[in-house]
Amino acid sequence: MGKKLTTRKEDYSKWYNELVVSANLAENSAVRGCMVIKPYGYAIWEKMQAELDRMFKETGHENAYFPLFVPKSLFEAEEKNAEGFAKECAVVTHYRLKTDPENPSKLIVDPEAKLEEELIVRPTSEAIIWNTYKGWIQSYRDLPILINQWANVVRWEMRTRLFLRTAEFLWQEGHTAHASKTEAIAEAEQMNNIYAQFVENFMGIPVIKGTKSENERFAGAVETYCIEALMQDGKALQAGTSHFLGQNFAKAFDVKFASKEGNLEHVWATSWGVSTRLVGALIMTHSDDQGLVLPPNLAPIQVVIVPIYKGEEQLAQISEVANDLVNKLRNVGVSVKYDDRDTQKPGWKFAQYELQGVPVRIAIGPKDLEKGSVELARRDTLSKEIVPQGEIVEKVKGLMTEIQENLYNRALKYRDEHITEVNSFEEFKEVLNTKGGFISAHWDGTSETELKIKEKTKATIRLIPIEGKKEAGNCVYSGNASPQRVLFAKAY
Amino acid sequence: MGKKLTTRKEDYSKWYNELVVSANLAENSAVRGCMVIKPYGYAIWEKMQAELDRMFKETGHENAYFPLFVPKSLFEAEEKNAEGFAKECAVVTHYRLKTDPENPSKLIVDPEAKLEEELIVRPTSEAIIWNTYKGWIQSYRDLPILINQWANVVRWEMRTRLFLRTAEFLWQEGHTAHASKTEAIAEAEQMNNIYAQFVENFMGIPVIKGTKSENERFAGAVETYCIEALMQDGKALQAGTSHFLGQNFAKAFDVKFASKEGNLEHVWATSWGVSTRLVGALIMTHSDDQGLVLPPNLAPIQVVIVPIYKGEEQLAQISEVANDLVNKLRNVGVSVKYDDRDTQKPGWKFAQYELQGVPVRIAIGPKDLEKGSVELARRDTLSKEIVPQGEIVEKVKGLMTEIQENLYNRALKYRDEHITEVNSFEEFKEVLNTKGGFISAHWDGTSETELKIKEKTKATIRLIPIEGKKEAGNCVYSGNASPQRVLFAKAY
Ligand SMILES: [Zn+2]
Ligand SMILES: [Zn+2]
C-alpha cells in the first residue's frame, strides 16, 4: 500500500502491472518469465478451478495425470503440432549435477549424465497423452475417453507479462477420444460452450463464441473453437479454446479402434483448455484506477468488516456487533473477514481492501452503535449507504447477485459499444486506431489477406462468429467475396 | 480383467505392480520413471488432496504457486540441500528446438538456444521459495508466513516403482517462516501431527510418529519429524515428513526480519510434505489377493449395485428398486454407482469391483425382488448377507464407519504384532530375516553404527519414537550407552 496506482488512462499496461503486484496477486520470480502466484491470487484461481472442475465432472469428464516430460521422438510425431511449439520448448538434456572440481561450493551439470533422448517440458500434452491412449483403445467399447488434467505447462515466451503470458502457467487441458467425427465435433463445441458459460456467468466477463481462421488455429487442430473477451483498453483476449483435432493425433500415434461394424478406424480427438491467463482477463475487465474489482463469485473475501474506534472499550462494543454479523453472514454462505487489527488505521484498511477488490465493505463506528446501523460500501460502484443492522444479511445476500450482474452488464455494455462494423480498409484503420475494440469486417477467407492486414495494422482475426446474422459482402482489404463478417482486433 | 493377480505370498512386489495396473490406478509411461495416474487412481488422490487441503486451511495455511524451475545459482545456495538433491536433478539447458537440417521431419535441440544459466526442475522448492520470501519479509509483522503448494516435483531416481518411487510425482509442500525457533518447531510438530491424523483417520493406516536420525534427515533440515507405516510384507514406508529447517535457508538466502525489539534476525523455517506415494501405502496396507481394498473415505465409488437378470422386463423391475436405492444412498452422502451395462456379465462385474476395492457391493436378482431383499457384500471381509431393502440405507451408513474402522484395526493389529524388541545383534538379524517389521533396539546415537547396521542388514533407522517409554540401555551393535530404543526396518 501507500502510493496510488498509475491510472489506466496514463498507462494501461503500467496500471495492470502495478495492480497485479500491489493487490498481492502475483509477482515476477528469479526465473525468467515465470511468476509466483501469491496466496490472494491463487485463492481466486482455486475458485475458478473448483467451478470448472464441477462443470467438467457434470458433463462426464474425469481427471487424470500424465507426465511433465515428452520424449523428443513423441513430441515430433504430429508434425504441425511439433512445428507450432518447437520454438518455445524448454528442453531437459541432463539428469544430474556434480560438484564443480574448480569450485567445491558450486555445482555443474554432470556431462556424463546426458540423456540419450532429450525430454521436452510439456507445452501441451497431446503427444504424451495420445501415445498413452494407444494402449487404452482397442474397440468402440473403450470410447469415448473423456479426460481432463490440471497441470503446469511451459512455453518459452520471449516477452512475458504476469498472468497474461508467462513461460510457465497453470491450466487444465481436456483430451478426449471418440468413435466418430460428429461426436468429437459435438464435444469440442460443448466444451467451448461450457467455457463461455463459465466465463460469463461465473467471472462476469462477456465473450463472443467463434472459430479461428487457419492462421490462428491451434497447431495440429482441424478446427479451433474459441471465446474472445474485450479488455478495457480495446484489445481482445482469447479466454478459452477448444479444438477438434480430427484424426491427426490418432494417425501420428497410430491409434485405431474396431468399430461396431468390425472395421479398424482411426480415433477422433478433441482437446480444450483454459489457464491462469483468465486471471489477467478478470483484472482487465472489471478493475478500475483504485485497483482490483472482483465479482462476488471469485472473491476470496466477499465482505470485510472494519471497526472504527477509539480505545479498547469501544472496540469491544463494536466487535460484539461485528462478530454477530460475521456469524450471520457465514451462515448464509458469504465469506467474511473481520479486520480488527490494531496495527493499521481504518483508512489504510479501506484503501487496501479497495485495492484488493473486496466486493462489500462494512464499517462500524460509535455512531453506528448508537443508531443500530452500519456503513456499507460497494466496491463496484464505490457508493456508500447507511444500513440498519437488522437488514444487513438480506442486503448483502442481494448485493452478491447484484454486484455480479452489474459487473457483467457494465462489461457487456462496453464490449457491445466497441464492436464496430467497417466497410473499407480506411475505416478499418481509423476505427482501430481511434476507438479500438472488435472490428466487424468482411474478409475473403485467405491467409494471405489476413497476414497483410496484420502486417499493416497489427490486428488479427479474433474469430469467425458462430452466432448472429451471416450476410455476404466484400472483403474490406481485397474486395473479394466474403460469406460473413469476422471480428478483427489487436489482441493480448 | 481376466486372469487373477499373482498372490502376495508368491511375489509381493509382482502382486503390487499387477494390482496397480489392473485396478486402473496407474501405469508406466513412455518417459523413464514417470507414471500416468489413471482416472480411478487420480480420484483417490483427489480425495486425499481435498481432506489435506481442508486440514491445512483449518490451521491457517494458504495455497500459492512457485515456479517449476530453480536457477542453478539459487539451487546451490543452501549447500546441504543442494548436495542432497544434486544427483537426481533433471536439468533444462536449452529453450528451443529446430528442424533437423539432415532430416526435415525431425527436430533437434537448437544449439544457439542454450540458457545462460541452467534451470533445475524442482526436486523440492525451498530454494526458490526462500529466495521469494526474502522480498516478503522485513519485519516481525510479516511473520508468520504459512504457505502450502500443490505441485509436481522431479527426482531422477534410477529404480522406480508406480506411486512408491517415480521420477516425477505429485505432492504438497508447505513452507513456513517464523519469528522464533519455538514457533517454527511447534509448526513442524503440528504438521507431523496433522499428517498422522490424516493417515490414520482418513486413510485407515496406523503410523508411528518420530524424528529421523541424522543420516535419514532431509537435506538442509535441523530436525525431521516423520510418520512411518508398516506394509504387509514387513517393510516400513515413510508416509510423511515435516522439517524444522532452523535458520539454514534464511542464512543461505539472507532473509532477516526486524524483531519487536528492533533487532535484525534470521527467519526460522519449516517445510513439510506428503505425496502420491501415499497411494502406494494405501494399497500395501489394506489390499488382498483379490485386489485393492479401499477405506470408504477414499473410495471413488463406495457402493456399487449390480443387477442380476434375464431379459428386459426383469431388468426394468430390478432397476426400479436399484434407482430408488441410488437416490436414497446419495441423499445420505454415499457415492453409489448402478452398473446396468449389458456388455458385461454379473460375474465379471463382481470381480472387477472387487479388484478395484469398492467397499460395498449390492446385488439384486429376481429372488430379491420377491423377498424385498438384496445381497450385500463387504469388500474388506469378503462376507455376504441378505438385507431387507428397507434397511439398506441404515446398513450402508453403518458399514461406511465400520469398514473404515475395521481396516484401521486390522492394520493396527498387524503393525503391533510386527514391532519386536531385540537385545542383541544376532536377534536383530534373525527377526529381520524371519518376521520382518519394525525392530525396536537400542542404538548408540552414532551415524557410524547406523551405517554399519545398514550395510550388514539393509535395515535403517526409521525413526526415534516421540511417544512411549524411554528406557536407557546398550546399543545392540556397539554395546555403548543408548538413551532409548529406536525403530529399525527395511523400508520402501
Ligand atoms: Zn471506448
Ligand atoms: Zn508376520
Side-chain angles (χ1 to χ4, degrees), chain A residues 136, chain B residues 18-27 37-42 352 355-356:
Chain A
W136 295 1
Chain B
E18 286 178 9
L19 190 159
V20 170
V21 172
S22 62
N24 282 328
L25 298 174
E27 65 183 37
I37 307 180
K38 298 178 79 171
Y40 194 66
Y42 198 84
Q352 182 64 26
L355 180 60
Q356 295 199 280

Side-chain angles (χ1 to χ4, degrees), chain B residues 302-303 305 320-336 360-362 364 372-376 385-403:
Chain B
Q302 293 175 313
V303 175
I305 303 177
E320 206 174 307
V321 175
N323 287 321
D324 181 52
L325 270 185
V326 168
N327 290 331
K328 282 181 179 150
L329 288 169
R330 284 195 186 144
N331 281 342
V332 296
V334 173
S335 69
V336 48
V360 170
R361 181 187 75 217
I362 292 172
I364 311 178
S373 62
V374 306
E375 185 198 74
L376 184 149
E385 60 180 307
I386 304 298
V387 180
Q389 285 166 21
E391 295 172 18
I392 286 288
V393 174
E394 280 311 302
K395 177 78 187 172
V396 167
K397 270 172 68 180
L399 279 178
M400 293 297 104
T401 311
E402 198 178 323
I403 295 174

Side-chain angles (χ1 to χ4, degrees), chain A residues 67-123:
Chain A
L68 171 66
F69 300 128
V70 188
K72 189 168 71 63
S73 59
L74 294 185
F75 181 79
E76 67 199 2
E78 208 295 319
E79 269 187 62
K80 280 194 179 156
N81 187 252
E83 211 182 284
F85 287 101
K87 288 194 186 112
E88 41 193 53
C89 284
V91 188
V92 174
T93 56
H94 293 75
Y95 58 85
R96 201 188 320 154
L97 298 172
K98 66 170 195 176
T99 303
D100 184 348
E102 286 163 33
N103 187 345
S105 79
K106 302 282 175 186
L107 295 168
I108 56 168
V109 175
D110 186 342
E112 283 173 33
K114 191 171 189 303
L115 289 168
E116 279 180 42
E117 179 177 12
E118 294 91 348
L119 297 173
I120 314 306
V121 181
R122 61 181 167 215

Side-chain angles (χ1 to χ4, degrees), chain B residues 104-119:
Chain B
S105 79
K106 302 281 175 187
L107 294 167
I108 57 168
V109 176
D110 186 342
E112 283 173 33
K114 191 170 188 304
L115 289 169
E116 278 180 42
E117 179 177 11
E118 294 91 348
L119 297 173

Side-chain angles (χ1 to χ4, degrees), chain A residues 27 29-31 34-40 42-43 46 53 57 62-72 74-76 79 82-83 86-98 104-109 115 118-122 128 131-132 136 141 147 150 152 154 156 158 168 170 343-344, chain B residues 27 29-31 34-40 42-43 46 53 57 62-72 74-76 79 82-83 86-98 104-109 115 118-122 128 131-132 136 141 147 150 152 154 156 158 168 170 343-344:
Chain A
E27 65 183 38
S29 77
V31 188
C34 292
M35 66 178 160
V36 172
I37 307 180
K38 297 179 79 172
Y40 194 66
Y42 198 84
E46 276 182 318
D53 201 67
K57 284 175 176 156
E62 299 177 298
N63 289 328
Y65 189 77
F66 297 86
L68 171 66
F69 300 128
V70 188
K72 189 168 71 63
L74 294 185
F75 181 79
E76 67 199 2
E79 269 187 62
E83 211 182 284
K87 288 194 186 112
E88 41 193 53
C89 284
V91 188
V92 174
T93 56
H94 293 75
Y95 58 85
R96 201 188 320 154
L97 298 172
K98 66 170 195 176
S105 79
K106 302 282 175 186
L107 295 168
I108 56 168
V109 175
L115 289 168
E118 294 91 348
L119 297 173
I120 314 306
V121 181
R122 61 181 167 215
I128 190 79
N131 183 63
T132 308
W136 295 1
R141 282 184 212 88
I147 284 183
W150 290 98
N152 53 344
V154 172
W156 206 264
M158 279 303 147
E168 181 192 14
L170 303 182
T343 47
Q344 304 292 353
Chain B
E27 65 183 37
S29 77
V31 188
C34 292
M35 66 177 161
V36 172
I37 307 180
K38 298 178 79 171
Y40 194 66
Y42 198 84
E46 276 182 317
D53 202 68
K57 284 177 176 156
E62 298 177 299
N63 289 328
Y65 189 76
F66 297 85
L68 170 67
F69 300 128
V70 189
K72 190 168 71 62
L74 293 185
F75 181 79
E76 67 198 1
E79 269 188 61
E83 210 182 285
K87 287 192 186 114
E88 41 193 51
C89 284
V91 188
V92 174
T93 55
H94 293 74
Y95 58 85
R96 200 184 334 160
L97 299 172
K98 65 170 196 177
S105 79
K106 302 281 175 187
L107 294 167
I108 57 168
V109 176
L115 289 169
E118 294 91 348
L119 297 173
I120 314 306
V121 182
R122 61 181 166 216
I128 190 79
N131 183 62
T132 307
W136 296 0
R141 283 185 210 89
I147 283 183
W150 290 97
N152 53 344
V154 172
W156 207 263
M158 279 302 148
E168 180 192 13
L170 303 183
T343 48
Q344 304 291 353

Side-chain angles (χ1 to χ4, degrees), chain B residues 16 45 56 134 155 229 241 283 343 370 378 384 405 415 429:
Chain B
Y16 175 83
W45 174 241
F56 297 158
K134 185 178 166 57
R155 296 177 186 176
T241 49
I283 297 164
T343 48
E370 280 169 34
R378 278 174 69 153
K384 291 181 202 173
E405 286 173 1
R415 199 276 312 274
K429 288 185 284 189

Side-chain angles (χ1 to χ4, degrees), chain A residues 232-234 414 417-418 434-437:
Chain A
Q232 296 165 342
D233 62 345
Y414 174 85
E417 283 169 5
H418 289 82
T434 55
K435 183 180 174 189

Side-chain angles (χ1 to χ4, degrees), chain B residues 438-458:
Chain B
F438 288 115
I439 295 180
S440 178
H442 280 291
W443 163 61
D444 63 18
T446 69
S447 285
E448 198 192 338
T449 296
E450 188 182 357
L451 292 173
K452 283 263 167 62
I453 294 176
K454 184 178 178 181
E455 196 186 300
K456 289 182 197 235
T457 67
K458 289 186 183 155

